[in-house]
Amino acid sequence: MVMGLSLVDSGRAGEPLEMVKSSVEKAMAVLKDPKLKSPDMKNERIERLKTAINPIFDYDEMARRSLGAHWRRRSPSEQEEFLKLFRAFIEKVYADKLDLYQGERIVVGRETTDGDYAEIEARMINAKGEESQVNFRLRRADGKWRVYDAVVENISIVQNYRSQFDRVISKSSYDELKKMLKEKAG
């Protein structure tokens, strides 16, 4: 995800790119705010980052895609419960990584759109100057562009979770997956 990165724009931006850029700039302002760097301000920092970042993510689409074929096998109430568990899980995973921020930045390349889908190519650059390829996948639903996946060094976050979730369900059960998500989100 883009949390904790600075952004350098290297071309003319379309609507999806502008949305991501704006959210990243807001997140950077939070991460760089000296008043929020102390450990006792971590919860405040997390809440402010959620305010900056959450509007650009389609957590429901991420959850559906991460559950894959198992999604259709769930009842509507199970689907609703999974959406909430998944979002809490994702927010916790990335909140726990906040302290790993070391001034990384992201250089945005080009944006490609195809109807209601877009992909933004970017490079993440760490303090040593090492680069990683990051592609943000977005879709437009209800007139809004939102990120539903990020591909880091050719590894899709959604596909990674789908593989993990499928293994848990196949080896154990859907209930075991829910239990795991609750524990990790707690």
Side-chain angles (χ1 to χ4, degrees):
M1 306 294 181
V2 294
M3 188 168 16
L5 305 171
S6 65
L7 187 74
V8 177
D9 187 0
S10 66
R12 188 178 173 145
E15 187 179 347
L17 190 141
E18 281 299 322
M19 181 207 57
V20 170
K21 179 182 175 183
S22 172
S23 292
V24 170
E25 287 171 351
K26 290 174 190 172
M28 286 306 305
V30 172
L31 288 171
K32 290 180 178 180
D33 187 339
K35 293 179 230 157
L36 298 173
K37 289 194 181 204
S38 67
D40 61 323
M41 293 299 290
K42 185 171 183 172
N43 288 339
E44 175 70 17
R45 188 172 57 213
I46 289 169
E47 289 307 311
R48 288 190 188 187
L49 284 169
K50 283 181 185 180
T51 300
I53 298 288
N54 281 351
I56 73 166
F57 284 100
D58 189 339
Y59 290 106
D60 290 357
E61 185 69 12
M62 291 173 78
R64 283 189 285 274
R65 288 174 183 252
S66 293
L67 200 52
H70 301 284
W71 175 259
R72 291 182 294 281
R73 297 182 191 126
R74 308 278 53 101
S75 70
S77 63
E78 287 176 317
Q79 289 175 346
E80 191 63 35
E81 179 186 29
F82 184 77
L83 294 176
K84 291 175 184 169
L85 282 172
F86 181 82
R87 182 174 180 146
F89 164 75
I90 290 292
E91 287 179 346
K92 176 74 166 133
V93 165
Y94 289 97
D96 287 349
K97 294 182 180 195
L98 263 183
D99 295 330
L100 300 176
Y101 174 69
Q102 297 294 317
E104 295 86 1
R105 60 190 176 102
I106 192 162
V107 177
V108 175
R110 67 186 179 122
E111 172 190 289
T112 308
T113 57
D114 183 9
D116 287 335
Y117 290 89
E119 188 161 325
I120 298 170
E121 296 176 5
R123 291 177 293 125
M124 188 169 21
I125 304 169
N126 68 17
K128 296 178 184 176
E130 300 165 333
E131 296 183 5
S132 300
Q133 183 69 34
V134 180
N135 290 358
F136 299 98
R137 293 180 176 163
L138 300 92
R139 76 179 188 113
R140 183 174 38 210
D142 300 324
K144 295 179 183 175
W145 287 100
R146 291 212 171 124
V147 175
Y148 70 87
D149 195 9
V151 181
V152 181
E153 291 297 316
N154 296 317
I155 298 172
S156 159
I157 290 172
V158 166
Q159 287 178 353
N160 188 24
Y161 285 130
R162 185 181 312 139
S163 295
Q164 291 177 44
F165 295 171
D166 187 56
R167 274 194 304 274
V168 171
I169 293 169
S170 297
K171 288 181 179 180
S172 186
S173 67
Y174 175 72
D175 286 336
E176 187 62 29
L177 174 63
K178 287 189 331 185
K179 180 181 172 191
M180 179 197 81
L181 292 174
K182 284 178 186 175
E183 288 172 1
K184 292 190 177 191

